Amino acid sequence: MKLGEKIRYLREVEGSLRGLGRPMTQLELVHAIRDEMGKGKSISQSYLSQIENGARPHMTQSSRALLAKFFKVHPGFLVDDPEGYHTELTSDLRTTEGKLDVWLLQGSEQFAGDAELSNVLIKAAREKDTRRCFLLLGAILDTPGLADRLLEALHPELAGRNHRPTGTEGRRIR
């Protein structure tokens, strides 16, 4: 994947995370970076456009570090993938993690009509150790009543909602 494609992808994910229901525009990204990363931390819309369109195939180190920090990705992600790069060359755990993240992002698009669910799927995909998040979720669900108690404590406004389809209470899927 080329650097420009990666930046466009990250703008799309960020737009979903912010509840826009669409990718952030380049200008929105420039303003968000300036507003959220502090004074003196900025990147221009024209520079961003050149990167995304391939007119500028490389970024300065400071721009890479700024974008990596804003998007919460490793700076090494913000380069073109080498010619012939294949994900199959990574370890099994890394491949599993990547597949899980892609699956979650696809799910977030499929459930775009449910903003809460879509945002949670994106957050899980952006988590450093997605697999561990799901193992934690499994442990929570295996502990009787814990999910309900956590929901009540963390999001009381959601606790009263009927969160399961009728007739499934008490059933376990194995």
Side-chain angles (χ1 to χ4, degrees):
M1 182 183 285
K2 296 288 187 189
L3 173 61
E5 295 170 309
K6 291 179 179 183
I7 298 293
R8 280 190 297 277
Y9 169 76
L10 290 170
R11 283 194 301 110
E12 183 175 327
V13 170
E14 196 65 29
S16 291
L17 280 173
R18 291 171 184 255
L20 299 176
R22 59 171 172 74
M24 285 184 85
T25 66
Q26 291 174 348
L27 197 54
E28 287 171 330
L29 176 60
V30 167
H31 290 295
I33 290 171
R34 186 188 61 229
D35 295 344
E36 296 170 25
M37 302 305 288
K39 246 186 163 122
K41 306 282 185 181
S42 66
I43 188 169
S44 74
Q45 187 272 329
S46 61
Y47 182 76
L48 198 54
S49 178
Q50 290 173 354
I51 293 167
E52 287 190 22
N53 294 325
R56 183 182 292 268
H58 306 288
M59 287 189 281
T60 64
Q61 182 61 29
S62 60
S63 295
R64 179 177 291 108
L66 180 64
L67 287 172
K69 187 173 182 180
F70 179 81
F71 286 122
K72 297 176 179 70
V73 297
H74 189 279
F77 176 75
L78 296 175
V79 296
D80 286 351
D81 290 335
E83 192 69 35
Y85 174 78
H86 298 286
T87 57
E88 296 81 34
L89 299 177
T90 59
S91 72
D92 288 343
L93 183 58
R94 190 76 170 146
T95 301
T96 299
E97 187 81 14
K99 287 179 182 177
L100 184 55
D101 291 344
V102 168
W103 178 72
L104 288 166
L105 291 170
Q106 289 171 340
S108 75
E109 292 171 12
Q110 184 176 1
F111 293 100
D114 183 341
E116 287 175 319
L117 179 59
S118 182
N119 286 336
V120 168
L121 293 172
I122 291 170
K123 286 177 186 178
R126 289 185 73 187
E127 189 62 31
K128 185 176 181 181
D129 190 344
T130 309
R131 182 177 179 277
R132 187 170 150 237
C133 288
F134 275 89
L135 295 176
L136 173 61
L137 177 60
I140 290 169
L141 296 174
D142 280 342
T143 306
L146 182 57
D148 290 331
R149 291 191 314 263
L150 284 172
L151 190 60
E152 178 65 37
L154 299 173
H155 292 286
E157 73 280 4
L158 299 177
R161 289 189 195 174
N162 183 5
H163 59 279
R164 293 182 187 151
T166 304
T168 60
E169 286 79 1
R171 277 195 213 165
R172 286 211 161 233
I173 300 173
R174 294 268 178 200

